[in-house]
Each structure stands twice: as C-alpha cells, then as structure tokens.
Amino acid sequence: MTENKLASFSAAIIGGGPAGLMAAEILSQAGVQVGLYDTMPSVGRKFLLAGKGGLNITHAEPFANFVTRYGNSQADIEPLLNDFNPQMLRAWVSELGITTFVGSSQRVFPLEMKAAPLLRAWLHRLRAAGVKIHTRHRWLGWDTKQALRFNHLETEKTVTADIVVLALGGGSWAKLGSDGRWLPLLTERNIAIAPLQAANCGFIVAWSDVFRERFAAEPLKSVTLSFTDVSGKLQQKNGELMLTESGVEGSLIYALSAPLRDTLNAQGSVTVYLDLTPDKDLARVTKELSRPRGSKSMSNHLRSKVGISGAKSGLLREFLSASEFADQPKLAAAIKSLPLELTSTRPIDEAISTAGGVCFSAMDAKLMLKNLPGVFCAGEMLDWEAPTGGYLLSAAFASGRAAGLGAVNWLQTEKVN
Ligand SMILES: Cc1cc2nc3c(=O)[nH]c(=O)nc-3n(C[C@H](O)[C@H](O)[C@H](O)COP(=O)(O)OP(=O)(O)OC[C@H]3O[C@@H](n4cnc5c(N)ncnc54)[C@H](O)[C@@H]3O)c2cc1C
C-alpha cells in the first residue's frame, strides 16, 4: 500500500454552508485532515432555509443558457461550472440517496422538496470520512503568528492549519450566520472586495395605506415588466410578482433585481412599466373597453371585457385619478404601460442573496487569494450574483469544489516534497 502524503496535512474550512461542506468533502477525500468551523450551533442553516422553498438545487436548461445567468460574472463562474455542471451536481445528489426531478420551467428539486434529508446524509458521510465539525466557532481573523483566531463560548482560541478555505457566505439573513462581518478581516489584509449589496431582493414602492391594506401579499400574475437600465438597454420580462406591504418582490422582480438595483443606485429611483395584459395589445384593449357597458360599473366592464380584476384593478385605481380611470384611452394606455416608481431595495438582510464580495482579481484561477498563499475562498462570499432558479446553489457547490481541489493541488505542489 502506498503512503498518502497528504494525510499529514491539515485544512481549516471556515463556514459550513454548501460551499464549505463541498470543500471539506474534496479535501477529506484526498486524505487531508479536515476541521470545519462555523459560528452557528449547527451548519447549513441557510441551506435548510432554502429547503423551505423546495430546494431548487439547479436548473436543467441547456448549459450554454445556464451560464449566461451569471451576467457580468459569467467569465469567472463558467470555468467552475464546466468542472461541476448541473448534471454532475444531480449525480452527486443522487449518490447521497436523494432523487431529483425537473419541475416546471426546468428547475431541479429533490423529490422530497426539502434540504434536511440531503444535509443529514451529507454530514453523515463527511463525519465518516473524518471531517471534524466545530460549531459555535466565530472566526476573528489571524493573530500575529498567522494562526486562525476563533471565539468559542466567549473564549478566544487559535488554530493552525496548512491550508484554509473561507466559505463565509454573503451578507443576508444574519441570524442564520451569514452576516458579512468577515469583510474587514480581509480588507485589512489588502484583499479587494466589492461592497455587499442586496440581490434577489424586494423593492420599495410608496403605496397608499388603502392599497397596502387591501393588496399586500397578493400576487400579480402574468404581467410584463419593462424598464430602461442604467446602460440604456431595455430590460423586459414576463412573469409573476408579489405585492408586499412595502413594495414588490417575487420571481419576476428577482430575475431583474441586478439591473434594477444598479439603475436605482445610479439614478436614485427607477421607474418600471407594467403591462397588465401581455396577451392583448393596445388596439385590442382599446376595442374591448369601447364596447357598450350599459349600467355596468367601469370595474365590472374591465373584468368582463379585458379580464382585469382584483390587484390589477387596484393598481389602476391606485395610480389613476377618477377621471383618468373613466377615460377609456387613458385607461387602456395605463393597462398596457402602468408606471411604478421603485425608490430603494429592501434591506440587505432580507435578500435571498447578496452581490459583491471577494473580487476574482484578488484570487488565482484555483480561487487562492494572491495576497495570502494557502488561503482559498468559495461560495456566495465571492463577487458574483445570479437570479433564483438554482443558479445560486449551483455556483456555491461548484466554487466549493474548485477551492477544495485548488487546495489539494497547492498542498501537493508546495508542501509535499
Ligand atoms: C430564503 C432563501 C431561499 C433560498 N433558496 C434557494 C434555492 O432554492 N436555490 C438556490 O440555488 N439558492 C437558494 N438560496 C441561496 C442559497 O441558500 C445560498 O446562495 C447558499 O447557501 C450560499 O452558500 P455558501 O456556502 O456560500 O454560504 P452560506 O450557506 O451562507 O454559509 C456560510 C456559513 O458561514 C458561516 N459563517 C459566516 N461568518 C462566519 C465566521 N466569522 N466564523 C465562522 N463561521 C461563519 C455561517 O454561519 C454559514 O454557516 C436561498 C436563500 C435564501 C435566504
């Protein structure tokens, strides 16, 4: 039997979300002694929360389309996904005894629509492979001898390791552990970091009290949202959004949240236009509205002739004066292009994910920090963003795997003689 030279080396993985756990798996498979540290009393809390929405683990669209969802970060994320693509992720999930299926709109979910069975099976496998999990360990940076500093049960302790993988998550849902407090620990080591910003987030609209009371939590189904983004490009998408107490959220908003946020940052606010009847053009809406309505109210006329009722009708009432609502051409124009002013994003802590983080320029192709040899980064703490649809977890897993492989490679080339 040949001796595994990596068995005498140790790795500290900090952060027990999907990215950190994946890095731990790769390193332990290579024979490295792995300690995984997390500030929370248990690991994978955000992953479990994602499970509450069914755990959309990846997406089954063609790979060429899939990689475009990473927008400006496509060039950085695509190589990681080339090495761990959605099919490979599904195969990996299946090895854990979890069957996945392709749901509507090509999203991929575990059959049970939960994260807990997957996490349980995974942690069991990791522990069996020798990964030591240390919870309630908050990473505080490095001491003067480059040992890792942790706060554990109100006392400070230090840990040394041959290589380190940081997988500390983004800056939303702080109560689940991902609080972004790692940022200054890296900036003080001259690591370039783009500020964390809300992604896949809600936006604020100044509703009237009456509208808020009646329509908060109502979905707005089958609408087209369009706006001109900060670069002058027309952004347009069809889908469903949710009206909330403070504004709008939901899949249609999340899909456009990056250009919406960037435009809002540049301009102070952004006006979007809602087409409430994408299946009927302006001529058809105008024609239907002009049919005799007899003694019917305008609301009933709207419902029977154009199919507009409930929250859609409420929106028209909210933004049109009584005389505009009674004026058929003005009403038809508003149905096809109702302006809605978004004044800010909802707070970052509520966002499904965050943009910003460790810049790819601060790392080499294997995700090692150029300024800190032997320290790798992975997951949502890197500077990329993507819409919901399984793209977030796909890149978290793929980057965790890449960082783990990068660390193994570094140990082999730099430490094993
Ligand atoms: C409501 C919700 C639903 C979601 N649904 C989906 C979905 O269906 N599909 C999808 O693709 N994505 C979804 N996501 C996003 C997905 O969960 C995240 O992108 C993913 O968990 C990121 O993985 P990560 O390992 O990079 O970070 P995280 O999962 O955030 O893990 C980071 C870990 O680092 C630990 N940590 C942070 N700071 C320290 C420190 N100083 N010391 C020690 N430990 C620390 C944290 O406790 C945490 O355990 C959802 C997110 C939310 C909030």
Side-chain angles (χ1 to χ4, degrees), residues 14-20 37-40 44 46-47 49-50 55-56 137-139 167-170 173 176-179 351-352 378-380 390-393 396:
I14 314 180
Y37 300 82
D38 198 289
T39 186
M40 298 302 286
K46 196 181 259 186
F47 185 61
L49 178 70
L55 196 70
N56 180 194
H137 278 69
R138 167 165 285 279
W139 179 58
L168 301 159
W173 290 78
L176 302 181
S178 328
D179 56 14
I352 288 183
E380 204 181 307
Y391 306 105
L392 299 165
L393 283 172

Side-chain angles (χ1 to χ4, degrees), residues 16-29:
L21 292 170
M22 189 55 102
E25 176 150 288
I26 297 292
L27 279 150
S28 65
Q29 278 169 357

Side-chain angles (χ1 to χ4, degrees), residues 31-371:
V32 179
Q33 300 161 39
V34 178
L36 183 137
Y37 300 82
D38 198 289
T39 186
M40 298 302 286
S42 59
V43 296
R45 291 193 170 201
K46 196 181 259 186
F47 185 61
L48 290 173
L49 178 70
K52 294 226 162 107
L55 196 70
N56 180 194
I57 204 146
T58 189
H59 202 287
E61 69 186 328
F63 190 68
N65 292 352
F66 186 93
V67 289
T68 63
R69 312 297 175 186
Y70 296 88
N72 295 338
S73 351
Q74 181 180 342
D76 298 312
I77 297 291
E78 190 169 345
L80 313 178
L81 291 167
N82 271 329
D83 290 348
F84 198 57
N85 63 35
Q87 285 83 1
M88 292 159 92
L89 174 55
R90 287 184 73 184
W92 174 85
V93 170
S94 144
E95 276 167 24
L96 283 167
I98 308 289
T99 308
T100 54
F101 72 98
V102 181
S104 62
S105 65
Q106 302 282 93
R107 292 172 180 229
V108 177
F109 298 91
L111 212 50
E112 291 180 85
M113 305 284 284
K114 287 185 201 152
L118 195 163
L119 184 63
R120 216 177 302 124
W122 195 11
L123 290 176
H124 180 74
R125 191 163 81 181
L126 287 171
R127 287 196 173 101
V131 174
K132 302 267 182 302
I133 296 180
H134 307 272
T135 55
R136 299 179 201 271
H137 278 69
R138 167 165 285 279
W139 179 58
L140 303 172
W142 290 268
D143 71 6
T144 49
K145 293 182 184 141
Q146 305 312 316
L148 297 161
R149 293 172 54 216
F150 288 96
N151 181 308
H152 176 56
L153 304 175
E154 302 313 318
T155 35
E156 189 168 326
K157 68 184 233 190
T158 54
V159 170
T160 53
D162 295 298
I163 60 109
V164 175
V165 178
L166 301 175
L168 301 159
S172 70
W173 290 78
K175 66 177 181 190
L176 302 181
S178 328
D179 56 14
R181 278 163 61 191
W182 51 265
L183 237 89
L185 304 178
L186 293 186
T187 41
E188 70 192 21
R189 304 299 299 255
N190 295 321
I191 310 296
I193 296 180
L196 297 184
Q197 302 193 72
N200 294 303
C201 57
F203 288 82
I204 292 180
V205 180
W207 304 130
S208 68
D209 290 342
V210 175
F211 182 85
R212 185 177 298 119
E213 257 163 48
R214 285 202 58 192
F215 298 111
E218 291 267 340
L220 214 56
K221 294 192 177 168
S222 180
V223 290
T224 299
L225 187 153
S226 48
F227 69 103
T228 305
D229 73 15
V230 62
S231 65
K233 185 173 165 204
L234 176 70
Q235 298 277 354
Q236 192 165 55
K237 218 167 174 59
N238 208 335
E240 176 174 334
L241 60 83
M242 284 295 293
L243 302 170
T244 67
E245 291 257 320
S246 59
V248 286
E249 61 179 40
S251 55
L252 177 58
I253 298 293
Y254 300 155
L256 292 168
S257 71
L260 280 172
R261 181 201 61 228
D262 293 346
T263 309
L264 202 150
N265 284 348
Q267 299 174 358
S269 72
V270 54
T271 301
V272 301
Y273 295 87
L274 291 179
D275 180 347
L276 303 176
T277 58
D279 54 335
K280 297 181 187 72
D281 65 13
L282 180 62
R284 169 95 188 274
V285 171
T286 308
K287 189 170 159 205
E288 293 297 333
L289 282 179
S290 66
R291 291 189 195 280
R293 74 177 158 107
S295 58
K296 268 193 288 182
S297 67
M298 185 54 104
S299 297
N300 278 339
H301 191 56
L302 256 183
R303 187 178 58 238
S304 63
K305 296 291 174 247
V306 202
I308 284 190
S309 59
K312 285 187 178 175
S313 179
L315 266 178
L316 292 165
R317 291 263 182 207
E318 172 79 348
F319 292 108
L320 297 183
S321 66
S323 63
E324 286 167 333
F325 195 78
D327 179 325
Q328 285 177 4
K330 283 194 177 144
L331 182 59
I335 289 168
K336 292 303 292 173
S337 184
L338 184 70
L340 200 63
E341 192 188 18
L342 314 185
T343 55
S344 70
T345 60
R346 289 290 303 160
I348 189 168
D349 194 46
E350 293 174 11
I352 288 183
S353 62
T354 48
V358 176
C359 297
F360 278 86
S361 59
M363 298 174 290
D364 67 14
K366 296 187 187 316
L367 305 184
M368 185 173 81
L369 291 170
K370 291 174 186 165
N371 287 356

